[in-house]
Amino acid sequence: GADRDADGIFGQAQGGILLLDEIGEIDTNIQVKLLRFLEDHIIRPVGSSKDIQLDVQIIAATNRNLKDEVAKGNFREDLYHRIAAWTISIPPLRERKDDIALLLEYYAGGPLKEIFTPEALEKLMHYSWSGNIRALRNAVKFMATKRRIEGKPLVDVSCLPDDVREYIPSRAHSIEEQQALMLLRHIEEAFGVTTRKQTVAEKVGLENIDNLRYRVKTYFQKFPALFEGLPLIRQHYPDILG
């Protein structure tokens, strides 16, 4: 057993901010302990008999829909309400095509035209990236290694991971669908700041909650797939989105 004080990650974060990544993955025993800490901000270091009051702000991140996990019994509802006081929803990478080029340039370490052939870059830009940024980062590492081993001047299509090279993109969004997606993203962002539907409606230029509800309902009937990455809209319109 432990015979001396140990700060642990919470103690080390005293006076600062602690990021809890993938919080949706923690088991129920840890959830109980985390809830207790969030209620009183007190810890007892390993090997100590004294409690310590901490001043630590918590940021939690997850790629899961925690409300769904609560409904399934996998995540404590009281803990969810503790950590969901302020939420920021980031759309999946496939819905942020403009970010793909920036991320490729960042992880590849240089201008795209000096690293990728146009054909390879086009496939990378149209890939779905279901694994989001982690998948893109790993793909860049794979391509850099293959380019180096094969002595190629640029990353061409043959250097791409198999799933990227063989990917066939789905149909392009219509103009109406693109406009719907843009408005829905703005609505999602607004719900991340306030829960008042009237305020959200005004922020996105829809004047009142009736217009807001009409747009959500209409877009869900026409383009249900657009709502996959919009948990806050789902939370506020369960009667429409189910």
Side-chain angles (χ1 to χ4, degrees):
D3 57 5
R4 62 182 180 83
D5 287 356
D7 285 342
I9 59 172
F10 285 88
Q12 294 173 30
Q14 167 66 355
I17 299 172
L18 178 62
L19 171 64
L20 301 179
D21 197 11
E22 301 295 357
I23 195 169
E25 308 292 333
I26 63 176
D27 64 37
T28 53
N29 291 331
I30 300 299
Q31 290 178 33
V32 172
K33 295 178 180 179
L34 178 58
L35 177 62
R36 188 179 303 126
F37 171 77
L38 293 176
E39 289 175 342
D40 56 26
H41 279 233
I42 292 175
I43 65 168
R44 177 172 294 182
V46 175
S48 174
S49 60
K50 298 179 180 179
D51 291 337
I52 298 177
Q53 183 83 40
L54 295 181
D55 177 18
V56 176
Q57 296 184 55
I58 300 295
I59 297 177
T62 181
N63 62 1
R64 295 191 178 193
N65 185 323
L66 290 185
K67 284 191 72 71
D68 287 349
E69 295 302 308
V70 169
K72 295 175 184 176
N74 297 329
F75 200 84
R76 293 180 62 98
E77 185 173 9
D78 45 6
L79 177 57
Y80 169 78
H81 289 299
R82 276 287 182 178
I83 64 175
W86 183 284
T87 60
I88 299 175
S89 178
I90 301 177
L93 190 55
R94 66 177 178 274
E95 296 178 10
R96 295 181 284 131
K97 293 296 186 182
D98 292 344
D99 289 353
I100 294 176
L102 296 174
L103 290 166
L104 284 171
E105 194 166 78
Y106 174 77
Y107 287 120
L112 297 179
K113 64 181 180 181
E114 297 178 7
I115 299 173
F116 302 95
T117 65
E119 296 79 12
L121 185 58
E122 182 178 3
K123 282 189 169 291
L124 289 165
M125 292 296 296
H126 287 92
Y127 185 59
S128 61
W129 298 112
S130 58
N132 291 302
I133 293 177
R134 286 191 182 93
L136 185 144
R137 182 180 60 211
N138 290 337
V140 170
K141 291 180 180 178
F142 174 88
M143 292 182 289
T145 300
K146 192 166 185 180
R147 173 191 178 189
R148 183 176 64 254
I149 291 174
E150 298 183 359
K152 293 180 179 290
L154 296 173
V155 172
D156 60 21
V157 172
S158 69
C159 295
L160 303 180
D162 291 344
D163 53 344
V164 178
R165 187 174 62 252
E166 298 169 2
Y167 179 72
I168 300 175
S170 59
R171 64 175 181 82
H173 292 316
S174 66
I175 293 177
E176 183 184 8
E177 195 169 357
Q178 292 176 27
Q179 292 173 339
L181 180 58
M182 183 177 299
L183 179 59
L184 289 171
R185 285 179 181 173
H186 290 159
I187 294 172
E188 182 77 7
E189 291 172 2
F191 273 130
V193 177
T194 178
T195 59
R196 292 190 69 250
K197 292 180 180 178
Q198 179 61 40
T199 303
V200 170
E202 293 171 357
K203 279 181 174 291
V204 300
L206 293 180
E207 296 184 359
N208 58 58
I209 59 176
D210 291 334
N211 288 342
L212 179 63
R213 180 181 176 83
Y214 173 78
R215 288 299 182 94
V216 171
K217 183 176 182 179
T218 300
Y219 288 154
F220 183 67
Q221 291 172 342
K222 289 185 175 182
F223 315 116
L226 297 184
F227 289 79
E228 290 180 5
L230 304 173
L232 297 182
I233 295 179
R234 286 188 171 277
Q235 178 181 333
H236 287 279
Y237 291 99
D239 57 321
I240 295 176
L241 308 181

